Every structure is written in C-alpha cells, then in structure tokens.
Amino acid sequence: METTLIRLTDYCNSRKVEITFIETLNEYGLLHIIVQQEEKYIEEEQLRDLERFANWYYDLDVNPAGIEVANHLIHKVEHLQDELQRLKNYIKALES
C-alpha cells in the first residue's frame, strides 16, 4: 500500500501554520517529518493529529510540552477504554 505524503510548505501555506511549529512537534516525537529531495513531508495519516495539535497550540495556547502531555493522556485513556471493552466482552462471554 502506497503512503500519501503531504508537503509541509503546502500545508503551512493553506492552514497558516508555522513550519517551525511542525518541526518542534517532530522534535517532541509527536509527528514524523520525512525529507525527500530537500522537501519536508508528513504522511497523510498524521494529518488528524497535526490538526488537533495545531488547534491546541494556536487556539488554546497550549505549548509543545503541554501538547505532548495531553496527547499521552489521550492515548492512555483510549488504551484503558479498549481494555475495559475487552473485559466487558470477556464477562459477557463467561455469563453466556
């Protein structure tokens, strides 16, 4: 399956996002920048996270360290919700 790449300069120009912000997210390990022929890209699958992070940063004034913490907590909650659902399904199966 081929991965679609989004050129950062195009994204930044269309969304009014600073490329340094995305580079900072990359430094924090929140996004992965791909460099090809001196152009920077992200995978299309990362757009959802990038939009979320940009909203937090530009609309809510959350700094990159805060974004990292919030993102970690969201992933932790999602993991716990998945685990809870598995346990509920397991209990249902035992009751049947």
Side-chain angles (χ1 to χ4, degrees), residues 7-66:
R7 187 173 20 192
L8 289 186
T9 53
D10 294 341
Y11 178 84
C12 290
N13 289 334
S14 70
R15 302 289 188 181
K16 306 297 185 240
V17 172
E18 300 165 2
I19 195 157
T20 55
F21 168 67
I22 298 174
E23 290 169 340
T24 300
L25 295 175
N26 182 66
E27 291 170 11
Y28 275 83
L30 296 167
L31 294 176
H32 177 69
I33 294 176
I34 299 166
V35 179
Q36 291 182 352
Q37 300 174 352
E38 299 183 28
E39 285 284 346
K40 295 179 180 181
Y41 300 87
I42 60 167
E43 293 181 355
E44 184 178 37
E45 293 80 28
Q46 297 183 87
L47 280 178
R48 180 177 159 253
D49 287 339
L50 177 53
E51 289 289 329
R52 181 187 309 151
F53 301 152
N55 286 336
W56 293 347
Y57 183 76
Y58 289 102
D59 297 340
L60 302 176
D61 293 323
V62 178
N63 66 23

